[in-house]
Structure formats: structure tokens, C-alpha cells
Amino acid sequence: KTTIMSAARMGWEAAGLRVAGAATAAVAASKLQAESGITSATVATWLMDIRDGGRRMADTDVLVLEEAAMVDDRDVADLLTAAAEHGVKVVQIGDWAQLKAIGVGGGFKRAHEIVDGLELSENRRQKDAVERAALEAWLDGGRRTALSMLAEHGRVHAVRTPDEAYAAMLGAWKDTVDRLEGDVHDQIEDLVVLAARNADVEVLNLGARELRKKAGELTGGHTFALAGGERLELAAGDVIRIKRNDYRTRRGGDVDVLNGYRGQVTYASKGGVAVEWRRPADDGGYAIERAWITADQIADGALQHGYAMTIAAAQGLTCDYTLVYGVGADANSLYPALSRDRIATHLWLPADVVESDETRRRLGEAQSDQELLDRAV
């Protein structure tokens, strides 16, 4: 979607129109800007400017709203009202089959139906023909068919318990990391581990970190106290994910630290950690950015381990390989989880959780790996 918006921007600008973008997440706005050339900000920034009588909408002719299905319909209404006052054309792009708005939702799909909106019909992300066919079946409502196709293709793995699923996923993660070429930033972009629930993400993060620690890939380190009594251990070499927006350029700083960036710790001490990440640059390449995160910011929740992340945090992301823990994922979250990859997605299902007690009593214990897989699907 964002690539197509680059061509659209060229057309609009050739007609003398001023184009701007908006997205719910700061990292999504940054990606829209990098991939389309459209100067973008968060929906919250736009709404604040509208409330404060700012000039953003007045200085815009076309507003592109990215991941529109994830934006609360009340916020969309405020944007559309302001746009109408200034004669601004609003172009919403998104996918209603993926994650929905946290608040009131559904408006994007209905608006798309009313205006007979355009659709992308050709899958240009997944290289694997079976994955493309399975995802097409999923969108047509054949979710069991899609999972069966992926299972027959070796992409769905049934185990008996959550612990077995965690162990298998972490083993696959380590094998993939060892196989991938490039530096840590390449590995972060090429591989992602996903789960629907924060508790599962935490287990997978701690497991991946323990594997790296045992391999001697983490050096130094400090344990930080977090609000609420929890603790976070960080060392040089740790993969992290930023959890708080910090617009430092507005205060004269060199870089903005945006919620959703994934990178690595390069130094850790009692006072904080030095982190670096790679982001898309406006010229089509990449830029390495660095920042110091203080102990107070860490205590306030600015960082978490970034080996694994929630499915919700990964919408809009593209990578080569995806490893997914399926428990707790509904149809609108499992679909984006299974469609992030270019090369391969693998899904783990622990039978003890996904299969009901009544079904297990009726059928008994699975007598083979194939029966376990069929029943998990």
C-alpha cells in the first residue's frame, strides 16, 4: 500500500497539491514517510493540532490515512470533519481482515464498500505458492482450509503443551539466527517471533535472551527496577524494542526515539543504556540512529526485550521469516501474523490448550504426531 502511495504522491504533487500522511503509530507514520515520500505524523498529533487551532489541515490538500482500519472511528470522524472544513481530500488505506481499532471500529470497511474502493488483488509479499494460496483461502473465509494447507506444507507444528511449544519456537529461532547472514540489524529485520498475548511474549523474550547469554553473546549488563516492582536486565548485545515515543528533535535533539523501533543495546550501566536501531531513510536506503535511554526512562517502561513481540505490534511489518505462537490469537490477529513473511511462516499450536477437555475425553489422547496435528488444526 505504501509503495503505491509513492506513485500517487507524484501525481498529486505534479498537480500542485500538498500531500501529508497520518497513522496511529509513530513507527507506522515513519514507515509511510520513508516508503512513499509523504511527510507524515501520528493521528494523535493531527488531532492535537486540530484542537489547538494549528495549521496542519489548512496547509494540506491530500491526507493519506495509513492502517485506517486500526484507527478509532471517532478519531477518523474528527479528521474527516476538519478535512471537510478545509476542502482536504482524505485517502484511507488499510486492511479490515487484519487487526481492528482498539476503540470503535468497522467504519473503514463500510466506507470502502460505499465508494467501491480499490483493492490490491495480487500478493507480492509471500514467495511461497502454498502460503499465497492459504492466505487467499483465509480471506475467502476458509480458515480451516488455510491452516490445513499450511500444515500439509510443514508450516504448522502441533505439540502437547505450551512449554513444548516455547522450546520448539526458541530452537527454531536460534537455528534461524545462526543461519542468517549480516549484522544484528539484518537479523532483526529478517526474523520476528510473534504471540498474541503479552505473557507469552515475555516467556519467549526471556528464553531467547537466556540462549544468547549461554552462548556468550551478551556482555556487561545491569538490572533496572521498573514501576510496579518488576525488573529488566539489559546487557550489550540485547535486542530491545522501544515502548515510548520521545520526540527529541522538537527539543533540539538529533533523533526521535519512536515506539516500535527494534534495535540493540551497545552499552549498559547503572545510569541507563545506549541503544541503536536501523530505520528506512528517505533516500531508499537505511540510517543507523543512536540514543541514550536513562534509568528513569527505563523504569517508566521505555524499553522491553525485543526478541519477540505481540502480533498487534507487528502489523505493517515485513520480514523473511516469522515464528508464531497461536494461542490467544483470533481470526483478525492470526491473519496478519501469518502474512508478515516473504519466505516462510511457522505456527505452533499446543494441543493441551487449543483442544477442549470435552474433545480430549471423547477422542482420547492422540496416538500419532499426525493425529495431534490434525486435531490441533
Side-chain angles (χ1 to χ4, degrees), residues 242-295:
I242 294 168
K243 293 283 291 177
R244 294 280 191 276
N245 289 322
D246 185 358
Y247 296 100
R248 299 185 179 188
T249 57
R250 299 177 184 178
R251 306 191 302 273
D254 295 330
V255 299
D256 289 327
V257 182
L258 299 183
N259 180 14
Y261 280 166
R262 293 172 71 215
Q264 70 168 339
V265 175
T266 56
Y267 174 76
S269 69
K270 181 179 180 181
V273 297
V275 299
E276 67 175 25
W277 62 87
R278 185 166 72 182
R279 67 162 181 84
D282 294 342
D283 61 3
Y286 291 97
I288 298 294
E289 295 181 333
R290 299 175 176 85
W292 177 259
I293 310 297
T294 68

Side-chain angles (χ1 to χ4, degrees), residues 5-17:
M5 285 300 105
S6 178
R9 173 189 58 78
M10 294 177 190
W12 288 321
E13 290 181 346
L17 301 174

Side-chain angles (χ1 to χ4, degrees), residues 77-225:
D78 290 341
L79 288 174
L80 293 177
T81 300
E85 292 174 356
H86 294 281
V88 176
K89 175 187 179 77
V90 178
V91 177
Q92 299 185 46
I93 58 177
D95 185 348
W96 57 79
Q98 297 190 33
L99 291 160
K100 299 184 181 298
I102 294 175
V104 178
F108 172 70
K109 182 179 182 181
R110 184 68 186 114
H112 190 276
E113 293 169 347
I114 291 171
V115 303
D116 192 22
L118 299 174
E119 293 186 10
L120 296 178
S121 58
E122 184 178 351
N123 185 341
R124 292 179 173 268
R125 178 179 287 164
Q126 278 74 36
K127 297 179 181 180
D128 186 275
V130 173
E131 284 199 5
R132 290 198 302 270
L135 292 171
E136 185 174 351
W138 185 284
L139 290 178
D140 288 339
R143 293 162 186 164
R144 180 174 178 176
T145 298
L147 289 177
S148 296
M149 293 171 66
L150 292 172
E152 291 174 6
H153 197 48
R155 300 295 171 80
V156 180
H157 310 278
V159 293
R160 296 193 180 275
T161 67
D163 285 346
E164 290 178 13
Y166 298 144
M169 288 183 69
L170 290 170
W173 170 80
K174 187 66 168 64
D175 290 343
T176 306
V177 168
D178 292 343
R179 191 173 69 250
L180 290 174
E181 299 178 353
D183 62 14
V184 66
H185 299 294
D186 290 318
Q187 294 171 4
I188 289 171
E189 291 188 1
D190 290 345
L191 171 65
V192 66
V193 178
L194 300 177
R197 305 179 303 190
N198 286 318
D200 299 313
V201 169
E202 180 69 12
V203 171
L204 292 165
N205 268 327
L206 292 176
R209 188 177 192 276
E210 188 62 25
L211 289 176
R212 294 205 65 196
K213 192 174 182 179
K214 288 181 178 179
E217 296 169 345
L218 304 179
T219 57
H222 183 76
T223 300
F224 297 90

Side-chain angles (χ1 to χ4, degrees), residues 330-358:
D330 63 12
N332 288 97
S333 55
L334 194 55
Y335 174 71
L338 296 176
S339 60
R340 297 305 90 203
D341 70 288
R342 299 184 188 93
I343 298 175
T345 288
H346 290 268
L347 170 67
W348 276 265
L349 299 173
D352 285 359
V353 178
V354 301
E355 191 171 65
S356 69
D357 291 338
E358 189 278 330

